[in-house]
Amino acid sequence: MEEIDKENLPRHIAIIMDGNGRWAKKKNLNRISGHIKGVNAVREIVTACRELGIKVLTLYAFSVENWRRPKDEVAALMGLLEEYLLKEREEMIQNNIRLSAIGRLEDLPLDVWNTLKEAIKMTEQCNGMILNLALSYGGRSEILHAIQGILSDFQKGKVKPEEINLQRFSQYLWTRGIPDPDLLIRTSGEFRISNFLLWQIAYTELYVTETLWPDFNRKELLKAIADYQSRERRFGLTSEQLNGREE
Ligand code: FPP
């Protein structure tokens, strides 16, 4: 904790929570036990981020590709998600956390979607931190969805082609209003983006740890933030420009 500079925290942390299955396998448990343990890690990390003063935490909880997993695993994940929302929504309000979600939410089972909408509504006045869940999410789907939105507004005469710039385009994404991630963490060692926030991570710092998601905890999070703080973010400029030594 002493190593963390409170003045230079990432505003938005995004996490690819990978490794629940491997964690379970290592312990001779079924995959679902790994996901159950994964939910505990979610709780710990949400609390830690709120305490630290992180403004946005985006968690990749379920991808568009994940629907192709065995039926019982998909059902278990949906059940865990619903249980999490029902159990945690009061605590979110107490901790001033606003819930938000990105993805093809209409693909979720109706009861899960309704519970999600309810929790989003219940926490809409909270402004301490945004907990943004990526559910049935895919970066390519998000970009296509944005293009469809633009074309539809074009047909209605609401937007002209020359008005579409980077900022305007971003407003058609599911992450509208949310700043791009400063730090993207991926657990369990793989160097892949897996269709996560493709547009938004253009200048995001990446951090990959071997730790499997169920073992990821507050200490691991602080390690990732300390690593982030040791980087120089140049956004395409030179180091000299950034330090004001050169025009
Ligand atoms: C990746 O592990 C994890 C997932 C596909 C699901 C993540 C879900 C949770 C942590 C629980 C539900 C979430 C919330 C917000 C309550 P994997 O199964 O791909 O692991 P493997 O690569 O080792 O098989």
Side-chain angles (χ1 to χ4, degrees):
M1 190 66 211
E2 305 84 66
E3 281 179 45
I4 302 293
D5 174 3
K6 290 283 266 182
E7 303 301 314
N8 181 27
L9 289 171
R11 190 156 55 139
H12 179 177
I13 299 180
I15 309 184
I16 301 176
M17 310 183 288
D18 196 14
N20 294 350
R22 272 163 282 173
W23 182 91
K25 198 167 182 191
K26 261 177 45 183
K27 298 213 154 19
N28 270 322
L29 297 168
N30 61 25
R31 297 181 52 81
I32 293 163
S33 312
H35 295 313
I36 294 173
K37 198 74 178 44
V39 178
N40 290 340
V42 167
R43 287 203 184 90
E44 178 163 343
I45 296 309
V46 170
T47 307
C49 284
R50 177 69 188 101
E51 284 171 7
L52 275 166
I54 302 299
K55 287 296 163 205
V56 188
L57 172 65
T58 297
L59 299 177
Y60 203 2
F62 197 87
S63 72
V64 271
E65 290 80 17
N66 285 155
W67 292 114
R68 296 203 302 261
R69 291 200 173 190
K71 247 189 176 156
D72 59 340
E73 186 174 341
V74 171
L77 280 166
M78 289 300 135
L80 285 173
L81 173 66
E82 191 170 13
E83 193 185 315
Y84 173 82
L85 294 170
L86 290 171
K87 269 195 194 160
E88 299 297 313
R89 58 192 190 183
E90 290 302 334
E91 191 142 336
M92 285 184 209
I93 296 169
Q94 273 164 26
N95 292 324
N96 202 14
I97 297 174
R98 176 156 76 84
L99 183 71
S100 145
I102 53 171
R104 297 168 48 106
L105 307 179
E106 65 280 8
D107 290 350
L108 296 170
L110 201 56
D111 50 342
V112 179
W113 193 17
N114 284 334
T115 306
L116 177 69
K117 281 194 277 195
E118 216 172 85
I120 290 174
K121 184 105 194 92
M122 283 170 73
T123 60
E124 73 186 349
Q125 301 301 333
C126 300
N127 59 11
M129 178 175 98
I130 296 173
L131 170 60
N132 185 31
L133 298 181
L135 297 166
S136 190
Y137 177 86
R140 288 178 170 179
S141 300
E142 181 179 33
I143 292 169
L144 273 185
H145 180 264
I147 292 170
Q148 285 165 348
I150 292 170
L151 289 174
S152 154
D153 279 356
F154 172 69
Q155 272 183 335
K156 292 181 202 145
K158 286 196 199 164
V159 68
K160 298 193 190 96
E162 61 273 22
E163 288 170 355
I164 297 297
N165 53 24
L166 296 174
Q167 198 225 342
R168 194 78 191 264
F169 185 83
S170 300
Q171 287 164 6
Y172 285 89
L173 295 169
W174 289 318
T175 49
R176 178 183 56 245
I178 293 178
D180 289 343
D182 302 293
L183 171 63
L184 170 63
I185 299 172
R186 180 169 188 140
T187 58
S188 76
E190 249 131 8
F191 287 78
R192 268 201 293 276
I193 295 301
S194 301
N195 203 9
F196 192 40
L197 301 175
L198 295 180
W199 174 273
Q200 298 87 341
I201 58 166
Y203 283 101
T204 300
E205 296 296 327
L206 308 181
Y207 178 87
V208 177
T209 170
E210 287 292 326
T211 305
L212 305 174
W213 177 252
D215 291 327
F216 194 82
N217 56 22
R218 188 189 166 86
K219 200 170 159 205
E220 296 277 340
L221 175 74
L222 293 177
K223 245 167 75 181
I225 295 176
D227 190 89
Y228 163 85
Q229 292 185 335
S230 73
R231 319 254 182 110
E232 180 186 57
R233 302 187 74 194
R234 290 199 294 274
F235 302 98
L237 302 179
T238 66
S239 194
E240 290 73 19
Q241 282 177 308
L242 276 182
N243 296 319
R245 289 198 292 269
E246 201 181 87
E247 286 301 301

